[in-house]
Amino acid sequence: MMLLSRCADNKNPIAIPDASLPESTINGNVAQAPTEPSTDANKTLNSDLVSLLKQDNLKVSEDLITQFYKYYRINNFELSLLPAFNTPEQMDWDQFTHFIYRGFVHSNPEDVFTKENFAQTVNRYFGPIDYTDRDSLYLTYENGIYTRKPGDEPGGAYYRLTNISKDADGIYTAVFDGLFFGELEYSDLYEEASPNIRAIRDTAGTKEAMCECQPKRGPLC
Protein backbone atom coordinates (compact mmCIF):
# COMPACT_ATOMS: atom_id res chain seq x y z
CA MET A 1 0.00 0.00 0.00
CA MET A 2 1.26 3.47 -0.83
CA LEU A 3 -0.03 6.69 0.73
CA LEU A 4 0.62 9.91 -1.14
CA SER A 5 -0.35 13.44 -0.22
CA ARG A 6 0.30 16.56 -2.28
CA CYS A 7 -1.06 20.04 -2.89
CA ALA A 8 -1.84 20.64 -6.55
CA ASP A 9 -1.46 24.41 -6.17
CA ASN A 10 1.66 24.47 -3.98
CA LYS A 11 4.28 26.78 -5.54
CA ASN A 12 6.47 27.39 -2.48
CA PRO A 13 10.15 26.61 -3.12
CA ILE A 14 11.70 23.84 -1.02
CA ALA A 15 15.33 23.18 -0.15
CA ILE A 16 16.87 19.71 -0.37
CA PRO A 17 20.24 19.56 1.37
CA ASP A 18 22.85 16.94 0.57
CA ALA A 19 23.52 15.03 3.77
CA SER A 20 26.81 13.71 2.38
CA LEU A 21 28.40 17.18 2.32
CA PRO A 22 29.09 18.82 5.73
CA GLU A 23 27.17 22.03 6.34
CA SER A 24 25.98 22.08 2.75
CA THR A 25 22.76 23.00 1.07
CA ILE A 26 21.59 22.50 -2.47
CA ASN A 27 22.00 25.92 -3.98
CA GLY A 28 23.06 27.79 -7.06
CA ASN A 29 20.50 27.14 -9.80
CA VAL A 30 16.90 28.28 -10.00
CA ALA A 31 14.87 26.36 -12.53
CA GLN A 32 13.08 28.16 -15.31
CA ALA A 33 9.65 27.48 -16.77
CA PRO A 34 8.63 23.80 -16.47
CA THR A 35 8.52 21.46 -19.41
CA GLU A 36 5.79 18.90 -19.89
CA PRO A 37 5.72 15.59 -21.77
CA SER A 38 5.02 16.42 -25.40
CA THR A 39 3.17 13.34 -26.61
CA ASP A 40 -0.49 13.68 -27.52
CA ALA A 41 -1.24 10.51 -25.55
CA ASN A 42 0.21 11.96 -22.36
CA LYS A 43 -1.62 15.27 -22.85
CA THR A 44 -4.95 13.52 -23.33
CA LEU A 45 -4.34 11.21 -20.39
CA ASN A 46 -3.33 14.08 -18.10
CA SER A 47 -6.38 16.11 -19.18
CA ASP A 48 -8.76 13.22 -18.48
CA LEU A 49 -7.23 12.58 -15.05
CA VAL A 50 -7.26 16.26 -14.07
CA SER A 51 -10.93 16.55 -15.11
CA LEU A 52 -11.85 13.68 -12.79
CA LEU A 53 -9.83 15.15 -9.92
CA LYS A 54 -11.60 18.50 -10.29
CA GLN A 55 -15.06 17.00 -9.78
CA ASP A 56 -16.90 18.31 -6.73
CA ASN A 57 -17.91 14.81 -5.60
CA LEU A 58 -14.42 13.32 -5.53
CA LYS A 59 -14.47 9.59 -4.82
CA VAL A 60 -12.94 6.35 -5.99
CA SER A 61 -14.66 5.27 -9.20
CA GLU A 62 -13.88 2.86 -12.00
CA ASP A 63 -13.04 5.82 -14.26
CA LEU A 64 -10.61 7.29 -11.73
CA ILE A 65 -9.02 3.90 -11.04
CA THR A 66 -8.55 3.41 -14.77
CA GLN A 67 -7.08 6.87 -15.39
CA PHE A 68 -4.60 6.53 -12.52
CA TYR A 69 -3.67 3.07 -13.77
CA LYS A 70 -3.01 4.36 -17.28
CA TYR A 71 -1.10 7.36 -15.98
CA TYR A 72 1.27 5.26 -13.90
CA ARG A 73 1.76 2.74 -16.69
CA ILE A 74 3.17 5.59 -18.79
CA ASN A 75 4.85 7.44 -15.90
CA ASN A 76 5.87 4.26 -14.13
CA PHE A 77 8.90 5.68 -12.28
CA GLU A 78 7.08 8.53 -10.50
CA LEU A 79 6.05 6.41 -7.52
CA SER A 80 8.67 3.67 -7.54
CA LEU A 81 11.66 6.06 -7.69
CA LEU A 82 10.25 8.96 -5.67
CA PRO A 83 12.71 9.57 -2.80
CA ALA A 84 11.36 8.77 0.65
CA PHE A 85 11.34 11.78 3.01
CA ASN A 86 9.42 13.15 5.97
CA THR A 87 10.38 16.73 5.19
CA PRO A 88 11.89 18.23 2.01
CA GLU A 89 15.16 18.83 3.89
CA GLN A 90 15.62 15.08 4.35
CA MET A 91 15.47 14.14 0.67
CA ASP A 92 18.57 12.25 -0.43
CA TRP A 93 20.60 13.89 -3.24
CA ASP A 94 21.45 10.57 -4.90
CA GLN A 95 17.82 9.40 -5.01
CA PHE A 96 16.71 12.89 -6.02
CA THR A 97 19.03 13.01 -9.06
CA HIS A 98 18.03 9.49 -10.06
CA PHE A 99 14.36 10.52 -10.03
CA ILE A 100 15.08 13.67 -12.05
CA TYR A 101 17.12 11.70 -14.59
CA ARG A 102 14.29 9.21 -15.14
CA GLY A 103 11.81 12.07 -15.40
CA PHE A 104 13.84 13.61 -18.22
CA VAL A 105 14.71 10.52 -20.28
CA HIS A 106 11.13 9.29 -20.05
CA SER A 107 10.03 12.15 -22.30
CA ASN A 108 13.36 12.83 -24.06
CA PRO A 109 15.14 9.47 -24.51
CA GLU A 110 17.42 10.69 -27.31
CA ASP A 111 18.40 14.08 -25.87
CA VAL A 112 21.55 15.09 -24.01
CA PHE A 113 20.87 15.67 -20.31
CA THR A 114 22.25 19.19 -19.86
CA LYS A 115 22.18 21.16 -16.63
CA GLU A 116 19.41 23.29 -18.19
CA ASN A 117 17.35 20.17 -18.86
CA PHE A 118 18.04 19.03 -15.30
CA ALA A 119 16.77 22.37 -13.95
CA GLN A 120 13.63 22.28 -16.09
CA THR A 121 12.84 18.74 -14.96
CA VAL A 122 13.37 19.66 -11.30
CA ASN A 123 10.96 22.57 -11.71
CA ARG A 124 8.35 20.39 -13.40
CA TYR A 125 8.16 18.02 -10.44
CA PHE A 126 9.12 20.13 -7.42
CA GLY A 127 8.94 23.80 -8.37
CA PRO A 128 11.86 26.25 -7.96
CA ILE A 129 14.67 24.67 -5.91
CA ASP A 130 18.17 25.97 -5.17
CA TYR A 131 20.93 23.37 -5.66
CA THR A 132 24.48 22.90 -6.91
CA ASP A 133 25.10 20.86 -10.08
CA ARG A 134 27.42 17.97 -9.18
CA ASP A 135 27.93 14.21 -9.27
CA SER A 136 25.71 11.73 -7.50
CA LEU A 137 25.67 7.99 -7.00
CA TYR A 138 23.74 7.60 -10.27
CA LEU A 139 24.97 10.51 -12.39
CA THR A 140 28.27 12.04 -13.45
CA TYR A 141 28.33 15.81 -13.95
CA GLU A 142 30.97 17.34 -16.21
CA ASN A 143 31.07 20.43 -18.46
CA GLY A 144 27.37 21.16 -17.98
CA ILE A 145 26.27 17.61 -18.89
CA TYR A 146 24.77 14.91 -16.67
CA THR A 147 25.57 11.33 -17.72
CA ARG A 148 24.01 8.18 -16.28
CA LYS A 149 26.47 5.83 -14.63
CA PRO A 150 26.16 2.12 -15.56
CA GLY A 151 23.01 0.68 -14.06
CA ASP A 152 19.38 -0.15 -14.71
CA GLU A 153 15.93 0.06 -13.16
CA PRO A 154 14.58 -3.44 -13.94
CA GLY A 155 11.06 -4.64 -13.38
CA GLY A 156 7.83 -2.72 -13.15
CA ALA A 157 4.68 -2.15 -11.14
CA TYR A 158 0.92 -1.89 -11.37
CA TYR A 159 -0.92 0.62 -9.16
CA ARG A 160 -4.58 0.51 -8.19
CA LEU A 161 -6.25 3.46 -6.47
CA THR A 162 -8.05 2.38 -3.28
CA ASN A 163 -8.87 5.70 -1.59
CA ILE A 164 -8.73 9.43 -2.37
CA SER A 165 -9.73 12.67 -0.67
CA LYS A 166 -9.20 16.42 -0.91
CA ASP A 167 -9.19 18.80 2.03
CA ALA A 168 -10.23 22.45 2.30
CA ASP A 169 -6.70 23.61 1.39
CA GLY A 170 -6.75 21.73 -1.91
CA ILE A 171 -4.42 18.95 -0.71
CA TYR A 172 -5.10 15.55 -2.27
CA THR A 173 -4.40 12.34 -0.34
CA ALA A 174 -4.42 9.12 -2.38
CA VAL A 175 -3.84 5.51 -1.36
CA PHE A 176 -2.70 2.86 -3.85
CA ASP A 177 -2.14 -0.86 -3.82
CA GLY A 178 1.17 -1.48 -5.59
CA LEU A 179 2.07 -4.77 -7.29
CA PHE A 180 5.78 -5.02 -8.14
CA PHE A 181 7.26 -7.50 -10.60
CA GLY A 182 10.72 -8.49 -11.74
CA GLU A 183 11.80 -7.87 -15.32
CA LEU A 184 11.94 -11.59 -16.18
CA GLU A 185 8.31 -12.10 -15.15
CA TYR A 186 6.98 -10.10 -18.07
CA SER A 187 6.11 -11.34 -21.55
CA ASP A 188 3.83 -10.04 -24.27
CA LEU A 189 2.64 -13.63 -24.71
CA TYR A 190 0.23 -14.75 -22.01
CA GLU A 191 1.54 -18.31 -22.07
CA GLU A 192 5.14 -17.19 -21.43
CA ALA A 193 4.40 -14.68 -18.66
CA SER A 194 4.86 -15.54 -14.99
CA PRO A 195 1.91 -16.77 -12.88
CA ASN A 196 1.81 -13.31 -11.26
CA ILE A 197 1.47 -11.51 -14.59
CA ARG A 198 -1.12 -14.02 -15.82
CA ALA A 199 -3.12 -13.44 -12.62
CA ILE A 200 -3.18 -9.70 -13.33
CA ARG A 201 -4.43 -10.28 -16.88
CA ASP A 202 -6.99 -12.85 -15.70
CA THR A 203 -8.39 -10.32 -13.24
CA ALA A 204 -8.54 -7.71 -16.01
CA GLY A 205 -10.25 -10.18 -18.33
CA THR A 206 -7.60 -10.10 -21.05
CA LYS A 207 -4.65 -12.15 -22.27
CA GLU A 208 -3.13 -9.16 -24.04
CA ALA A 209 -0.19 -7.17 -22.68
CA MET A 210 -1.46 -4.47 -20.34
CA CYS A 211 0.99 -1.70 -21.15
CA GLU A 212 -0.19 1.84 -21.91
CA CYS A 213 3.28 3.14 -22.68
CA GLN A 214 5.24 4.87 -25.37
CA PRO A 215 7.67 3.03 -27.67
CA LYS A 216 11.18 2.10 -26.49
CA ARG A 217 10.25 1.91 -22.81
CA GLY A 218 11.34 -1.73 -22.34
CA PRO A 219 9.68 -4.55 -20.36
CA LEU A 220 6.81 -3.45 -18.16
CA CYS A 221 7.33 0.05 -19.52
Side-chain angles (χ1 to χ4, degrees), residues 2 9 32 39 73 87 109 118 158 165 198:
M2 307 186 72
D9 298 323
Q32 302 302 316
T39 65
R73 293 308 293 147
T87 67
F118 187 97
Y158 295 94
S165 62
R198 291 200 299 269

Short mmCIF file of all heavy atoms in Angstrom, two decimals, residues 2 9 32 39 73 87 109 118 158 165 198:
data_model
loop_
_atom_site.label_atom_id
_atom_site.label_comp_id
_atom_site.label_asym_id
_atom_site.label_seq_id
_atom_site.Cartn_x
_atom_site.Cartn_y
_atom_site.Cartn_z
N MET A 2 0.51 2.22 -0.78
CA MET A 2 1.26 3.47 -0.83
C MET A 2 0.32 4.62 -0.51
O MET A 2 -0.80 4.67 -1.01
CB MET A 2 1.85 3.68 -2.22
CG MET A 2 2.68 2.51 -2.72
SD MET A 2 3.50 2.88 -4.25
CE MET A 2 4.75 4.02 -3.67
N ASP A 9 -1.72 23.00 -5.91
CA ASP A 9 -1.46 24.41 -6.17
C ASP A 9 -0.24 24.93 -5.40
O ASP A 9 -0.01 26.13 -5.34
CB ASP A 9 -2.69 25.25 -5.80
CG ASP A 9 -3.88 24.87 -6.64
OD1 ASP A 9 -3.68 24.58 -7.83
OD2 ASP A 9 -5.00 24.85 -6.12
N GLN A 32 13.94 27.29 -14.53
CA GLN A 32 13.08 28.16 -15.31
C GLN A 32 11.72 27.51 -15.53
O GLN A 32 11.33 26.61 -14.81
CB GLN A 32 13.77 28.46 -16.65
CG GLN A 32 15.14 29.10 -16.47
CD GLN A 32 15.10 30.39 -15.68
OE1 GLN A 32 14.23 31.22 -15.92
NE2 GLN A 32 16.02 30.56 -14.75
N THR A 39 3.98 14.25 -25.81
CA THR A 39 3.17 13.34 -26.61
C THR A 39 1.69 13.65 -26.46
O THR A 39 1.21 14.02 -25.39
CB THR A 39 3.42 11.89 -26.20
OG1 THR A 39 2.97 11.70 -24.86
CG2 THR A 39 4.91 11.54 -26.27
N ARG A 73 1.14 3.65 -15.74
CA ARG A 73 1.76 2.74 -16.69
C ARG A 73 2.67 3.51 -17.64
O ARG A 73 3.69 3.00 -18.10
CB ARG A 73 0.70 1.97 -17.51
CG ARG A 73 -0.14 0.99 -16.71
CD ARG A 73 0.71 0.03 -15.91
NE ARG A 73 1.47 -0.87 -16.77
CZ ARG A 73 2.68 -1.34 -16.46
NH1 ARG A 73 3.27 -0.98 -15.35
NH2 ARG A 73 3.29 -2.16 -17.29
N THR A 87 10.38 15.31 5.50
CA THR A 87 10.38 16.73 5.19
C THR A 87 11.26 16.93 3.97
O THR A 87 12.15 16.12 3.70
CB THR A 87 10.92 17.58 6.36
OG1 THR A 87 12.31 17.29 6.54
CG2 THR A 87 10.16 17.29 7.64
N PRO A 109 14.15 10.56 -24.57
CA PRO A 109 15.14 9.47 -24.51
C PRO A 109 16.37 9.67 -25.37
O PRO A 109 17.41 9.08 -25.10
CB PRO A 109 14.33 8.25 -24.97
CG PRO A 109 13.22 8.81 -25.80
CD PRO A 109 12.87 10.12 -25.15
N PHE A 118 18.17 19.46 -16.69
CA PHE A 118 18.04 19.03 -15.30
C PHE A 118 17.19 20.03 -14.52
O PHE A 118 16.26 19.65 -13.80
CB PHE A 118 19.43 18.90 -14.68
CG PHE A 118 19.45 18.30 -13.31
CD1 PHE A 118 19.71 16.95 -13.12
CD2 PHE A 118 19.23 19.09 -12.19
CE1 PHE A 118 19.74 16.39 -11.85
CE2 PHE A 118 19.26 18.55 -10.91
CZ PHE A 118 19.51 17.19 -10.74
N TYR A 158 2.29 -2.29 -11.09
CA TYR A 158 0.92 -1.89 -11.37
C TYR A 158 0.38 -1.21 -10.11
O TYR A 158 0.59 -1.69 -9.00
CB TYR A 158 0.03 -3.10 -11.70
CG TYR A 158 0.42 -3.82 -12.97
CD1 TYR A 158 1.27 -4.92 -12.94
CD2 TYR A 158 -0.10 -3.42 -14.20
CE1 TYR A 158 1.61 -5.60 -14.10
CE2 TYR A 158 0.23 -4.09 -15.37
CZ TYR A 158 1.09 -5.18 -15.31
OH TYR A 158 1.42 -5.84 -16.46
N SER A 165 -8.98 11.59 -1.31
CA SER A 165 -9.73 12.67 -0.67
C SER A 165 -9.03 13.98 -0.96
O SER A 165 -7.87 14.02 -1.38
CB SER A 165 -9.83 12.44 0.85
OG SER A 165 -8.54 12.44 1.44
N ARG A 198 0.11 -13.40 -15.30
CA ARG A 198 -1.12 -14.02 -15.82
C ARG A 198 -2.30 -13.75 -14.89
O ARG A 198 -3.43 -13.55 -15.36
CB ARG A 198 -0.91 -15.52 -16.01
CG ARG A 198 0.06 -15.87 -17.13
CD ARG A 198 -0.12 -17.30 -17.61
NE ARG A 198 0.11 -18.27 -16.56
CZ ARG A 198 1.29 -18.83 -16.30
NH1 ARG A 198 2.36 -18.48 -17.02
NH2 ARG A 198 1.42 -19.71 -15.33
#
